[in-house]
Amino acid sequence: MSKILVIIPTFNELENVKKIIPAVLEQNEQIDVLIIDDNSPDKTGDYVEELSKQNQRVKIIRREKKLGLGTAYIAGFKYALQNNYDFVFEMDADFSHDPKEINNFLNAIKDADVVLGSRYINGVRVLNWPMRRLLLSYFASVYTRIITGLPVKDATGGFKCFRIDVLKAIDLDRIKSNGYSFQIEMTFKAFKKGFRIKEIPIVFMDRVKGKSKMSKKIVREAVLMVWKLRLRSIIGRL
């Protein structure tokens, strides 16, 4: 039986985690949920810690301050490696990623090493986003594909599943990016190491509760990161 870990970073997501955790756990009895909480003022961490005492499938890592999405996932990946999981998911807390898609990922990864939930295959599958943000996301993926040669339609998406062998092969301590650029960097490094990458269509629903963590800094970081990745690939420093 495979051990599956779903990593969900949180910052002020109390109302969402109350619903997302049971929704994820009910998809597959092999799933554990790991919440990475960045000292949420709304007491998300306190709630999850109490829940973890009642349910051994709920795990939590509490951090002292807001340290960013990328570092949260790195902490989760290291936890997965230390605890011998077979498959590891990245997932948002706000239901923009539908828990009902999890089993589709697990089916797809039977003949892949990384499965990406794509908003941009079989049309544009994004609901309730303003046009400006939709265009930014779409053309960020086009830009990434042109600069790096990464053969995916949705390079910045955050709903993903990795075989543990992928995480073992990537030097996680050298991953320094956050936000969009973190998603690009992880997929690009997996691609360059020869792992099989597969995209499956998902519908992305913008959050109903809570506040988006998107910022201009995250966008700038992604713009620069694709050039860094291309250069490092050329000189063999990935």
Side-chain angles (χ1 to χ4, degrees):
M1 294 175 65
S2 298
K3 289 182 66 180
I4 304 160
L5 185 68
V6 176
I7 303 169
I8 304 178
T10 57
F11 183 75
N12 284 347
E13 298 284 3
L14 180 59
E15 293 306 311
N16 285 320
V17 297
K18 288 178 178 179
K19 298 177 181 178
I20 197 73
I21 291 174
V24 170
L25 292 178
E26 73 181 13
Q27 301 306 314
N28 190 305
E29 64 183 12
Q30 277 82 56
I31 289 175
D32 290 345
V33 172
L34 173 62
I35 300 296
I36 314 285
D37 187 68
D38 278 1
N39 198 21
S40 297
D42 71 352
K43 307 299 184 182
T44 298
D46 290 345
Y47 172 80
V48 177
E49 187 164 341
E50 286 302 310
L51 185 61
S52 71
K53 295 174 182 176
Q54 304 165 28
N55 188 340
Q56 64 181 4
R57 295 172 64 196
V58 178
K59 322 289 183 181
I60 183 167
I61 294 175
R62 302 187 72 168
R63 307 199 296 176
E64 293 184 356
K65 61 182 179 179
K66 191 174 182 182
L67 297 171
L69 186 74
T71 62
Y73 279 127
I74 294 299
F77 294 160
K78 290 181 176 180
Y79 179 93
L81 290 165
Q82 292 163 3
N83 290 277
N84 301 311
Y85 285 91
D86 300 297
F87 302 104
V88 182
F89 280 81
E90 295 180 20
M91 190 173 178
D92 289 350
D94 59 11
F95 282 92
S96 54
H97 300 150
D98 187 348
K100 294 177 182 178
E101 296 282 1
I102 287 174
N103 286 315
N104 292 332
F105 280 78
L106 293 172
N107 286 330
I109 208 165
K110 290 176 182 177
D111 57 1
D113 301 303
V114 182
V115 177
L116 312 180
S118 178
R119 298 162 291 186
Y120 307 126
I121 57 176
N122 298 345
V124 176
R125 301 162 67 89
V126 177
L127 301 178
N128 297 340
W129 257 11
M131 183 58 68
R132 180 175 177 272
R133 186 167 180 188
L134 175 60
L135 292 173
L136 174 64
S137 172
Y138 179 82
F139 284 108
S141 289
V142 173
Y143 172 79
T144 299
R145 196 160 63 245
I146 292 170
I147 303 303
T148 65
L150 184 62
V152 300
K153 294 290 184 66
D154 191 356
T156 64
F159 198 2
K160 305 164 94 164
C161 182
F162 297 90
R163 285 185 182 272
I164 199 67
D165 288 345
V166 178
L167 303 182
K168 289 178 180 177
I170 294 173
D171 186 350
L172 298 176
D173 290 328
R174 294 184 64 187
I175 304 286
K176 303 299 183 184
S177 51
N178 275 304
Y180 276 175
S181 62
F182 172 79
Q183 305 299 356
I184 296 167
E185 185 173 3
M186 284 297 298
T187 304
F188 184 74
K189 289 190 173 185
F191 168 63
K192 283 297 182 178
K193 288 182 177 293
F195 289 107
R196 300 165 297 168
I197 298 173
K198 183 174 184 178
E199 287 186 280
I200 62 172
I202 61 166
V203 173
F204 182 93
M205 172 75 76
D206 196 17
R207 66 167 54 238
V208 175
K209 293 184 178 180
K211 185 178 179 181
S212 172
K213 314 302 189 293
M214 178 56 61
S215 69
K216 291 180 180 179
K217 179 182 177 181
I218 289 173
V219 175
R220 288 195 299 268
E221 183 186 41
V223 170
L224 294 174
M225 177 55 68
V226 294
W227 287 101
K228 290 179 181 178
L229 290 172
R230 179 174 177 176
L231 178 60
R232 290 172 188 167
S233 177
I234 291 170
I235 64 178
R237 294 286 301 276
L238 274 179

